[in-house]
Each structure stands twice: as structure tokens, then as C-alpha cells.
Amino acid sequence: MLGLTVWGLSLGQALLITGNILLVSVTALVGNKISPSADLATVPVALQFIGLMGATLPAALLVRLLGRKKVFLIGNSIGLCGAALAYYALNQSDFWLFCLSTFLLGVAIGIGQQYRFAAVENSPEGKGPQAISLIMGGGVLAAILDPNLAVWSEYIIPDTQYVGAFAALFVLYVITTLLVAVLPLKPASLEEQTGTPRSYKELLSQPLLLASIISGAIGYAVMVLIMTATPLAMHSHGFHFGHTASVIQWHVLGMFAPSFFTGHLIKKFGTSNIVQAGCLLLIACILLNQFGTSYWYFWTALVFLGIGWNFTFIGATNLLTQTYQPADKAKTQGLNDFLVFGSSAVASILAGYWQSLFGWEILNLLMLPAIFIAMFAVYLSMKQSGKTA
């Protein structure tokens, strides 16, 4: 059994992911609606990613000083402030205030990425992969809740489009804050707080750490880039928004539904094999996108993309937990998240530009070299460390 704390963290993660997806659904639309210039419409989205990236290293270091619970409560408090500010800014049609709100929400999201590490620390010995899987499985609830929440909240405030989404986001952060407040999270150990961490140079000299960061960053970036470009590609082939929404929803389910058994697969077949299987599924997605552009080609490719991301991300996270000592934990986790989520931010920015510049098929093919690099890095690290899993 994984215990009440891990299940509670999973529910909290599900609520945060629901809020994140809701935010992604409306931020660009709000920016387009209230920005003083069309050129500035995506600034709120960019600031959200900047906030996320900027929070990863400080959040991990604060965990060392304050412990998980206090840092999670700080993150949720920032999320509450961001959601309230966004609500006010949209009511006032204040674009720059809305930009500040999305930056704060990005910071909250960045801190929330630490939930998966907390799950490992609060799980029974040997149950780390299953704990990570359960945390990521919370995304299934998000995939079911979010489309309904987005539609329900669009005009919840009469005559004011999208404001209701931030009211809903505020409520989600309130519930998550209360949940974290009552969970019995383990405090940081004395060794974590007082030990001397190794330098970045020493940490990165570990082949296993390099492999975990490379495979996690590439898996995430490939997924984000293809996912972000998919609506544009489907629109260019004449699909209605309903078809696109359906494909994206199934993709999100593909991202999170396998989490309920990924941990068991890791235990049975080994972490490196699951990461490699995830990379092969990403390649299968790319190949499918070369053969056709019907609805079912898009649907199948995006489901493969989601499952491939799941295997690479959970596998890479599990590899990472094997590379640090207690004193190194905060430094290593912060570095990993900064690079992984930084790569996804760059991918989201490049997606639209590359889709218009190269087209759908070429955009997909450009991902192959990166995937091969990830596969080779994992293979080489296993060979050098003498491990087989």
C-alpha cells in the first residue's frame, strides 16, 4: 500500500493539473482579447512559462530549508494571488496586470512540479516508481474534469467571457491548499538540511543523471512541440474545433492513464527499458504522421505521443531519484526541473513557427534526431554504470 499521504498528493496533483490545463485553454484567448496589440497576445503565455522556469531552482532550495509542506503552501498561496489578480485584471481589461497574474500562476505551477518528488519521499521503501505513477495518474481526473470545467466556467460571470475560469482556478487552489495543510508530509531530514551538496560539475559527471535529464527534457519537449502544433495542422486540413478538441483530450488521457501501471512495468522490466519503450512510441507517433492526415491518423499518433511521454517522463524521474544523496536532493531536483521545463517552454514557442515554416510532416521528422540522442544517452549510462535496468 502506498499510504494516505501519497493518495492525498495524487489528488492535489490532479486538482493542480486541472487548473493548469484550464489556464492553458484560456490564457492565449484572453491575451488576444485584451492585449493592446496583436503582437503582444502571447506575452501572458510566455510569462507563465518564465514564471514556471524561474520557480524550479528556488523551490527546490526552499524545500531544503523549510520542508515540502511549507513550500507547497507558499506555492498554492502564490497561485491564489495569481488567480485573484487575473480575475480582477480581466474584469478591468488590464493587459499588463493580467501578464503579472500569469507570471505568478507560472511560479505556482513550477512549485507544484515538486509533488512527484514528495510522493517518492512519503512512499514505502521500494515503492517509488508506483508513487510517481499514482501522482501522474491524477492527470486522468484532470482530463475528465477540465473540458467540462472550461465550458461551464466560460460565462459563469454574466457578459464577461473567461473570467469564470479564474474563479474556478481560485477554488481549485483553495481546495489544494486545504488538502496539503492536513497531509502528514515528512519533514526534511537533518542530513538534507545540514549536509554539503556536491557541485554541479560533480553531479553532472554521473552518466545516470545526464541520461535522466536528457531523456526527460527531450521526451517533454517532443511531446509539447507536436501537441502544440497539432491544432494548427488539423485546422489547415479542414477539421472542426470539435475534432481537434477530441484528439487533444484523448492525447491527455494517453499522457496520464498509463500512470496507473507504468510503475509496475518499471518494476518488472526496468527503468531504462521503459524509457526506451517511451522513445519508440514517440517515433511511432512521428511515423504515423508521415502516412496520413485523417482524423484517425491524428488520433492514434497523439495517443502514442501521450503514452510515449508518460513512459519517458516517469522513467526519467525514477532514474533521477537514484542519482543523489540527501544533501544533493534539492540541488539535483531543481536543476532537473529547470532544464526539463525549460525545454518544454522553448518547444511551445517554436511549435507555431516551425509548423508554418516547415509544415506538419517535416516538423515531426525534425524530432527524430533528438529522440535518438535520448535513447543513446540512456543506453550509454546503463552500460557505463554497469546497470541493466
Side-chain angles (χ1 to χ4, degrees), residues 226 233 236-237 286-293 298 354-355 358-368:
I226 295 178
S236 69
H237 285 91
I286 290 167
L287 295 179
L288 271 172
N289 285 331
Q290 305 306 306
F291 293 128
T293 53
F298 279 113
W354 280 11
Q355 169 66 18
F358 299 117
W360 177 240
E361 289 80 9
I362 300 299
L363 176 145
N364 275 264
L365 290 175
L366 288 173
M367 300 299 100
L368 288 175

PDB file of all heavy atoms in Angstrom, residues 226 233 236-237 286-293 298 354-355 358-368:
ATOM      1  N   ILE A 226       4.917  18.717 -30.639  1.00  0.00           N
ATOM      2  CA  ILE A 226       3.951  18.072 -31.536  1.00  0.00           C
ATOM      3  C   ILE A 226       2.527  18.345 -31.078  1.00  0.00           C
ATOM      4  O   ILE A 226       1.640  18.626 -31.899  1.00  0.00           O
ATOM      5  CB  ILE A 226       4.229  16.559 -31.628  1.00  0.00           C
ATOM      6  CG1 ILE A 226       5.587  16.316 -32.295  1.00  0.00           C
ATOM      7  CG2 ILE A 226       3.117  15.855 -32.414  1.00  0.00           C
ATOM      8  CD1 ILE A 226       5.988  14.854 -32.385  1.00  0.00           C
ATOM      9  N   ALA A 233      -2.120  22.056 -37.407  1.00  0.00           N
ATOM     10  CA  ALA A 233      -2.101  21.125 -38.538  1.00  0.00           C
ATOM     11  C   ALA A 233      -3.513  20.652 -38.870  1.00  0.00           C
ATOM     12  O   ALA A 233      -3.891  20.575 -40.053  1.00  0.00           O
ATOM     13  CB  ALA A 233      -1.206  19.932 -38.207  1.00  0.00           C
ATOM     14  N   SER A 236      -5.438  23.362 -40.624  1.00  0.00           N
ATOM     15  CA  SER A 236      -5.020  23.543 -42.020  1.00  0.00           C
ATOM     16  C   SER A 236      -5.571  22.444 -42.930  1.00  0.00           C
ATOM     17  O   SER A 236      -5.651  22.628 -44.144  1.00  0.00           O
ATOM     18  CB  SER A 236      -3.492  23.575 -42.116  1.00  0.00           C
ATOM     19  OG  SER A 236      -2.938  22.300 -41.833  1.00  0.00           O
ATOM     20  N   HIS A 237      -5.956  21.304 -42.338  1.00  0.00           N
ATOM     21  CA  HIS A 237      -6.549  20.216 -43.123  1.00  0.00           C
ATOM     22  C   HIS A 237      -8.074  20.204 -43.033  1.00  0.00           C
ATOM     23  O   HIS A 237      -8.718  19.211 -43.390  1.00  0.00           O
ATOM     24  CB  HIS A 237      -5.977  18.863 -42.659  1.00  0.00           C
ATOM     25  CG  HIS A 237      -4.574  18.620 -43.130  1.00  0.00           C
ATOM     26  ND1 HIS A 237      -3.466  18.983 -42.401  1.00  0.00           N
ATOM     27  CD2 HIS A 237      -4.091  18.063 -44.280  1.00  0.00           C
ATOM     28  CE1 HIS A 237      -2.364  18.660 -43.066  1.00  0.00           C
ATOM     29  NE2 HIS A 237      -2.715  18.103 -44.204  1.00  0.00           N
ATOM     30  N   ILE A 286       5.599   9.877 -34.768  1.00  0.00           N
ATOM     31  CA  ILE A 286       6.171  10.646 -35.883  1.00  0.00           C
ATOM     32  C   ILE A 286       5.963   9.922 -37.212  1.00  0.00           C
ATOM     33  O   ILE A 286       5.604  10.547 -38.219  1.00  0.00           O
ATOM     34  CB  ILE A 286       7.668  10.891 -35.609  1.00  0.00           C
ATOM     35  CG1 ILE A 286       7.814  11.886 -34.452  1.00  0.00           C
ATOM     36  CG2 ILE A 286       8.389  11.393 -36.852  1.00  0.00           C
ATOM     37  CD1 ILE A 286       9.207  11.982 -33.889  1.00  0.00           C
ATOM     38  N   LEU A 287       6.163   8.617 -37.227  1.00  0.00           N
ATOM     39  CA  LEU A 287       5.989   7.848 -38.459  1.00  0.00           C
ATOM     40  C   LEU A 287       4.527   7.850 -38.910  1.00  0.00           C
ATOM     41  O   LEU A 287       4.240   7.975 -40.110  1.00  0.00           O
ATOM     42  CB  LEU A 287       6.488   6.417 -38.258  1.00  0.00           C
ATOM     43  CG  LEU A 287       7.996   6.267 -38.008  1.00  0.00           C
ATOM     44  CD1 LEU A 287       8.359   4.809 -37.792  1.00  0.00           C
ATOM     45  CD2 LEU A 287       8.801   6.863 -39.168  1.00  0.00           C
ATOM     46  N   LEU A 288       3.613   7.708 -37.964  1.00  0.00           N
ATOM     47  CA  LEU A 288       2.185   7.761 -38.314  1.00  0.00           C
ATOM     48  C   LEU A 288       1.828   9.096 -38.958  1.00  0.00           C
ATOM     49  O   LEU A 288       1.027   9.147 -39.904  1.00  0.00           O
ATOM     50  CB  LEU A 288       1.328   7.556 -37.064  1.00  0.00           C
ATOM     51  CG  LEU A 288       0.968   6.120 -36.691  1.00  0.00           C
ATOM     52  CD1 LEU A 288       0.296   6.081 -35.335  1.00  0.00           C
ATOM     53  CD2 LEU A 288       0.049   5.515 -37.759  1.00  0.00           C
ATOM     54  N   ASN A 289       2.424  10.157 -38.453  1.00  0.00           N
ATOM     55  CA  ASN A 289       2.128  11.488 -39.004  1.00  0.00           C
ATOM     56  C   ASN A 289       2.709  11.697 -40.401  1.00  0.00           C
ATOM     57  O   ASN A 289       2.418  12.706 -41.047  1.00  0.00           O
ATOM     58  CB  ASN A 289       2.649  12.568 -38.051  1.00  0.00           C
ATOM     59  CG  ASN A 289       1.781  12.710 -36.819  1.00  0.00           C
ATOM     60  OD1 ASN A 289       0.577  12.443 -36.862  1.00  0.00           O
ATOM     61  ND2 ASN A 289       2.368  13.115 -35.706  1.00  0.00           N
ATOM     62  N   GLN A 290       3.525  10.744 -40.887  1.00  0.00           N
ATOM     63  CA  GLN A 290       4.030  10.813 -42.258  1.00  0.00           C
ATOM     64  C   GLN A 290       3.076  10.149 -43.248  1.00  0.00           C
ATOM     65  O   GLN A 290       3.125  10.429 -44.449  1.00  0.00           O
ATOM     66  CB  GLN A 290       5.399  10.118 -42.366  1.00  0.00           C
ATOM     67  CG  GLN A 290       6.457  10.623 -41.409  1.00  0.00           C
ATOM     68  CD  GLN A 290       6.658  12.125 -41.482  1.00  0.00           C
ATOM     69  OE1 GLN A 290       6.905  12.676 -42.558  1.00  0.00           O
ATOM     70  NE2 GLN A 290       6.540  12.786 -40.344  1.00  0.00           N
ATOM     71  N   PHE A 291       2.213   9.274 -42.737  1.00  0.00           N
ATOM     72  CA  PHE A 291       1.412   8.430 -43.637  1.00  0.00           C
ATOM     73  C   PHE A 291       0.017   8.958 -43.946  1.00  0.00           C
ATOM     74  O   PHE A 291      -0.609   8.508 -44.900  1.00  0.00           O
ATOM     75  CB  PHE A 291       1.300   7.013 -43.052  1.00  0.00           C
ATOM     76  CG  PHE A 291       2.598   6.265 -43.029  1.00  0.00           C
ATOM     77  CD1 PHE A 291       3.050   5.670 -41.864  1.00  0.00           C
ATOM     78  CD2 PHE A 291       3.385   6.168 -44.166  1.00  0.00           C
ATOM     79  CE1 PHE A 291       4.249   4.975 -41.835  1.00  0.00           C
ATOM     80  CE2 PHE A 291       4.585   5.477 -44.147  1.00  0.00           C
ATOM     81  CZ  PHE A 291       5.024   4.879 -42.985  1.00  0.00           C
ATOM     82  N   GLY A 292      -0.477   9.876 -43.143  1.00  0.00           N
ATOM     83  CA  GLY A 292      -1.830  10.357 -43.420  1.00  0.00           C
ATOM     84  C   GLY A 292      -2.234  11.482 -42.491  1.00  0.00           C
ATOM     85  O   GLY A 292      -1.619  11.715 -41.446  1.00  0.00           O
ATOM     86  N   THR A 293      -3.307  12.178 -42.904  1.00  0.00           N
ATOM     87  CA  THR A 293      -3.796  13.306 -42.109  1.00  0.00           C
ATOM     88  C   THR A 293      -5.303  13.184 -41.876  1.00  0.00           C
ATOM     89  O   THR A 293      -5.995  14.186 -41.718  1.00  0.00           O
ATOM     90  CB  THR A 293      -3.488  14.646 -42.816  1.00  0.00           C
ATOM     91  OG1 THR A 293      -3.989  14.598 -44.161  1.00  0.00           O
ATOM     92  CG2 THR A 293      -1.998  14.927 -42.831  1.00  0.00           C
ATOM     93  N   PHE A 298      -4.402  11.323 -36.872  1.00  0.00           N
ATOM     94  CA  PHE A 298      -4.097  12.287 -35.815  1.00  0.00           C
ATOM     95  C   PHE A 298      -4.389  11.683 -34.436  1.00  0.00           C
ATOM     96  O   PHE A 298      -3.585  11.801 -33.511  1.00  0.00           O
ATOM     97  CB  PHE A 298      -4.924  13.568 -36.002  1.00  0.00           C
ATOM     98  CG  PHE A 298      -4.367  14.525 -37.014  1.00  0.00           C
ATOM     99  CD1 PHE A 298      -5.040  14.776 -38.203  1.00  0.00           C
ATOM    100  CD2 PHE A 298      -3.177  15.199 -36.781  1.00  0.00           C
ATOM    101  CE1 PHE A 298      -4.530  15.658 -39.147  1.00  0.00           C
ATOM    102  CE2 PHE A 298      -2.659  16.089 -37.708  1.00  0.00           C
ATOM    103  CZ  PHE A 298      -3.340  16.322 -38.893  1.00  0.00           C
ATOM    104  N   TRP A 354       7.636  26.719 -36.426  1.00  0.00           N
ATOM    105  CA  TRP A 354       8.100  25.587 -37.232  1.00  0.00           C
ATOM    106  C   TRP A 354       6.978  24.985 -38.075  1.00  0.00           C
ATOM    107  O   TRP A 354       7.223  24.538 -39.188  1.00  0.00           O
ATOM    108  CB  TRP A 354       8.711  24.516 -36.320  1.00  0.00           C
ATOM    109  CG  TRP A 354      10.116  24.847 -35.904  1.00  0.00           C
ATOM    110  CD1 TRP A 354      10.764  26.035 -36.075  1.00  0.00           C
ATOM    111  CD2 TRP A 354      11.049  23.980 -35.259  1.00  0.00           C
ATOM    112  NE1 TRP A 354      12.033  25.977 -35.571  1.00  0.00           N
ATOM    113  CE2 TRP A 354      12.247  24.726 -35.064  1.00  0.00           C
ATOM    114  CE3 TRP A 354      10.997  22.660 -34.809  1.00  0.00           C
ATOM    115  CZ2 TRP A 354      13.366  24.178 -34.450  1.00  0.00           C
ATOM    116  CZ3 TRP A 354      12.120  22.117 -34.196  1.00  0.00           C
ATOM    117  CH2 TRP A 354      13.284  22.860 -34.016  1.00  0.00           C
ATOM    118  N   GLN A 355       5.758  24.988 -37.528  1.00  0.00           N
ATOM    119  CA  GLN A 355       4.630  24.461 -38.296  1.00  0.00           C
ATOM    120  C   GLN A 355       4.401  25.290 -39.560  1.00  0.00           C
ATOM    121  O   GLN A 355       4.167  24.754 -40.652  1.00  0.00           O
ATOM    122  CB  GLN A 355       3.361  24.449 -37.429  1.00  0.00           C
ATOM    123  CG  GLN A 355       2.066  24.173 -38.166  1.00  0.00           C
ATOM    124  CD  GLN A 355       1.990  22.775 -38.748  1.00  0.00           C
ATOM    125  OE1 GLN A 355       2.735  21.883 -38.339  1.00  0.00           O
ATOM    126  NE2 GLN A 355       1.115  22.579 -39.721  1.00  0.00           N
ATOM    127  N   PHE A 358       8.003  24.850 -41.833  1.00  0.00           N
ATOM    128  CA  PHE A 358       8.367  23.551 -42.396  1.00  0.00           C
ATOM    129  C   PHE A 358       7.169  22.693 -42.813  1.00  0.00           C
ATOM    130  O   PHE A 358       7.310  21.810 -43.655  1.00  0.00           O
ATOM    131  CB  PHE A 358       9.201  22.752 -41.384  1.00  0.00           C
ATOM    132  CG  PHE A 358      10.491  23.404 -40.985  1.00  0.00           C
ATOM    133  CD1 PHE A 358      10.706  23.787 -39.667  1.00  0.00           C
ATOM    134  CD2 PHE A 358      11.497  23.634 -41.910  1.00  0.00           C
ATOM    135  CE1 PHE A 358      11.886  24.385 -39.283  1.00  0.00           C
ATOM    136  CE2 PHE A 358      12.681  24.238 -41.538  1.00  0.00           C
ATOM    137  CZ  PHE A 358      12.890  24.615 -40.220  1.00  0.00           C
ATOM    138  N   GLY A 359       6.013  22.922 -42.189  1.00  0.00           N
ATOM    139  CA  GLY A 359       4.869  22.049 -42.441  1.00  0.00           C
ATOM    140  C   GLY A 359       4.850  20.884 -41.454  1.00  0.00           C
ATOM    141  O   GLY A 359       5.838  20.584 -40.773  1.00  0.00           O
ATOM    142  N   TRP A 360       3.716  20.204 -41.380  1.00  0.00           N
ATOM    143  CA  TRP A 360       3.462  19.169 -40.379  1.00  0.00           C
ATOM    144  C   TRP A 360       4.427  17.992 -40.471  1.00  0.00           C
ATOM    145  O   TRP A 360       5.005  17.567 -39.463  1.00  0.00           O
ATOM    146  CB  TRP A 360       2.023  18.705 -40.536  1.00  0.00           C
ATOM    147  CG  TRP A 360       1.578  17.590 -39.642  1.00  0.00           C
ATOM    148  CD1 TRP A 360       1.104  16.367 -40.019  1.00  0.00           C
ATOM    149  CD2 TRP A 360       1.512  17.602 -38.203  1.00  0.00           C
ATOM    150  NE1 TRP A 360       0.762  15.610 -38.927  1.00  0.00           N
ATOM    151  CE2 TRP A 360       1.006  16.351 -37.791  1.00  0.00           C
ATOM    152  CE3 TRP A 360       1.853  18.535 -37.226  1.00  0.00           C
ATOM    153  CZ2 TRP A 360       0.816  16.015 -36.462  1.00  0.00           C
ATOM    154  CZ3 TRP A 360       1.666  18.209 -35.884  1.00  0.00           C
ATOM    155  CH2 TRP A 360       1.164  16.955 -35.521  1.00  0.00           C
ATOM    156  N   GLU A 361       4.619  17.444 -41.665  1.00  0.00           N
ATOM    157  CA  GLU A 361       5.446  16.241 -41.813  1.00  0.00           C
ATOM    158  C   GLU A 361       6.905  16.518 -41.450  1.00  0.00           C
ATOM    159  O   GLU A 361       7.532  15.746 -40.711  1.00  0.00           O
ATOM    160  CB  GLU A 361       5.351  15.679 -43.241  1.00  0.00           C
ATOM    161  CG  GLU A 361       4.015  15.029 -43.584  1.00  0.00           C
ATOM    162  CD  GLU A 361       2.939  16.047 -43.943  1.00  0.00           C
ATOM    163  OE1 GLU A 361       3.289  17.258 -44.089  1.00  0.00           O
ATOM    164  OE2 GLU A 361       1.764  15.650 -44.052  1.00  0.00           O
ATOM    165  N   ILE A 362       7.461  17.605 -41.958  1.00  0.00           N
ATOM    166  CA  ILE A 362       8.870  17.926 -41.683  1.00  0.00           C
ATOM    167  C   ILE A 362       9.063  18.260 -40.212  1.00  0.00           C
ATOM    168  O   ILE A 362      10.059  17.842 -39.594  1.00  0.00           O
ATOM    169  CB  ILE A 362       9.352  19.094 -42.572  1.00  0.00           C
ATOM    170  CG1 ILE A 362       9.232  18.722 -44.051  1.00  0.00           C
ATOM    171  CG2 ILE A 362      10.788  19.467 -42.232  1.00  0.00           C
ATOM    172  CD1 ILE A 362      10.065  17.532 -44.456  1.00  0.00           C
ATOM    173  N   LEU A 363       8.116  18.993 -39.627  1.00  0.00           N
ATOM    174  CA  LEU A 363       8.212  19.312 -38.207  1.00  0.00           C
ATOM    175  C   LEU A 363       8.368  18.032 -37.384  1.00  0.00           C
ATOM    176  O   LEU A 363       9.195  17.958 -36.462  1.00  0.00           O
ATOM    177  CB  LEU A 363       6.974  20.090 -37.755  1.00  0.00           C
ATOM    178  CG  LEU A 363       6.856  20.435 -36.263  1.00  0.00           C
ATOM    179  CD1 LEU A 363       6.184  21.792 -36.083  1.00  0.00           C
ATOM    180  CD2 LEU A 363       6.047  19.377 -35.490  1.00  0.00           C
ATOM    181  N   ASN A 364       7.573  17.019 -37.710  1.00  0.00           N
ATOM    182  CA  ASN A 364       7.659  15.755 -36.993  1.00  0.00           C
ATOM    183  C   ASN A 364       9.019  15.087 -37.193  1.00  0.00           C
ATOM    184  O   ASN A 364       9.641  14.601 -36.237  1.00  0.00           O
ATOM    185  CB  ASN A 364       6.549  14.814 -37.446  1.00  0.00           C
ATOM    186  CG  ASN A 364       5.248  15.034 -36.702  1.00  0.00           C
ATOM    187  OD1 ASN A 364       4.954  14.349 -35.732  1.00  0.00           O
ATOM    188  ND2 ASN A 364       4.464  16.008 -37.152  1.00  0.00           N
ATOM    189  N   LEU A 365       9.489  15.053 -38.425  1.00  0.00           N
ATOM    190  CA  LEU A 365      10.772  14.394 -38.717  1.00  0.00           C
ATOM    191  C   LEU A 365      11.939  15.061 -37.998  1.00  0.00           C
ATOM    192  O   LEU A 365      12.923  14.397 -37.647  1.00  0.00           O
ATOM    193  CB  LEU A 365      11.024  14.380 -40.222  1.00  0.00           C
ATOM    194  CG  LEU A 365      10.120  13.451 -41.053  1.00  0.00           C
ATOM    195  CD1 LEU A 365      10.402  13.630 -42.543  1.00  0.00           C
ATOM    196  CD2 LEU A 365      10.334  11.994 -40.639  1.00  0.00           C
ATOM    197  N   LEU A 366      11.832  16.363 -37.765  1.00  0.00           N
ATOM    198  CA  LEU A 366      12.903  17.084 -37.069  1.00  0.00           C
ATOM    199  C   LEU A 366      13.081  16.609 -35.630  1.00  0.00           C
ATOM    200  O   LEU A 366      14.120  16.865 -35.005  1.00  0.00           O
ATOM    201  CB  LEU A 366      12.615  18.594 -37.089  1.00  0.00           C
ATOM    202  CG  LEU A 366      12.778  19.297 -38.442  1.00  0.00           C
ATOM    203  CD1 LEU A 366      12.299  20.735 -38.354  1.00  0.00           C
ATOM    204  CD2 LEU A 366      14.234  19.249 -38.893  1.00  0.00           C
ATOM    205  N   MET A 367      12.088  15.914 -35.105  1.00  0.00           N
ATOM    206  CA  MET A 367      12.163  15.414 -33.728  1.00  0.00           C
ATOM    207  C   MET A 367      12.994  14.134 -33.605  1.00  0.00           C
ATOM    208  O   MET A 367      13.440  13.775 -32.526  1.00  0.00           O
ATOM    209  CB  MET A 367      10.755  15.134 -33.180  1.00  0.00           C
ATOM    210  CG  MET A 367       9.814  16.335 -33.141  1.00  0.00           C
ATOM    211  SD  MET A 367      10.438  17.658 -32.084  1.00  0.00           S
ATOM    212  CE  MET A 367      11.133  18.762 -33.325  1.00  0.00           C
ATOM    213  N   LEU A 368      13.187  13.421 -34.723  1.00  0.00           N
ATOM    214  CA  LEU A 368      13.844  12.111 -34.662  1.00  0.00           C
ATOM    215  C   LEU A 368      15.272  12.159 -34.104  1.00  0.00           C
ATOM    216  O   LEU A 368      15.627  11.339 -33.249  1.00  0.00           O
ATOM    217  CB  LEU A 368      13.838  11.446 -36.038  1.00  0.00           C
ATOM    218  CG  LEU A 368      12.473  10.928 -36.518  1.00  0.00           C
ATOM    219  CD1 LEU A 368      12.578  10.397 -37.941  1.00  0.00           C
ATOM    220  CD2 LEU A 368      11.950   9.838 -35.582  1.00  0.00           C
TER     221      LEU A 368
END
